[in-house]
Amino acid sequence: MIRALAAGLALLAAAPAVAQGARPPIVAWTYTVQAGDTFSDIARRWGVDMAALGDANGIPSPYVIRIGQVLKRPDPKGTPKPPARPAPAVPAQNPAGQTPKAVPRPAPTLRPAPPPRAPLAPRESDAPKIGWPTEGAVVSHFREKVAGIPSNGIDLIAHPGQKVRAAAAGTVLYADKEPERFGQLILIDHGGGFVTAYAYLGMMTVKEGQAVTKGERIALVGQSGEAQRPTVHFELRRNNVPRDPELYLPPRL
């Protein structure tokens, strides 16, 4: 009886010793590995999965740890990670260790001014006194390129149906369609080798061989040939050599 009571007291005394040997849960966010710790025991005391603990600390399986190593507890699932702060920009340095000065931006290149037109040559004294074939602004001058080809005359912008007049008295040499470029075309002979040409016309009102007076209507403005809008192309030639019509036309007010 006495021996049984002593054995029971011994068991009661031993029970608290076993409970004290079991390590308590880890409540801190970091833990320093101590003698006798195992990776699985630390994970159990933290209440986390071994794989999660290994990922959080960069320790792959078989999860080897050493005494004194500091481990951190994995973040709870669903906790968003703070965004990484960008590293501050470091200004580039020259070989001397000095920060280079800002290089000024070059000034924009301006489009060069168009070359001045050549001075007007004197007109022949025996040339006919010609007038403007129609009203309208000159949109293309002598020798300027039109559709990539230097022009042998001038182009005047006009309204459809506007009158086109003979620049001087003469005889109609040609009044028909020119299929290559000029569409409806009229040529008038003024004598002395001088001929005027009128192109891109609409309806023509004269015929070949007809004598016309200066300012007489010979056609109506239209749009034919390569013209992209109602235009009158006007040329002056002597012995089939083009002249600049603006040398011979009277000035406009």
Side-chain angles (χ1 to χ4, degrees), residues 9 23 88 113-114 128 131 137 209 220 240:
L9 292 174
R23 298 191 177 184
L220 300 178
N240 207 30

Side-chain angles (χ1 to χ4, degrees), residues 74-89:
D75 293 329
K77 294 183 179 180
T79 303
K81 295 184 179 180
R85 297 180 60 183

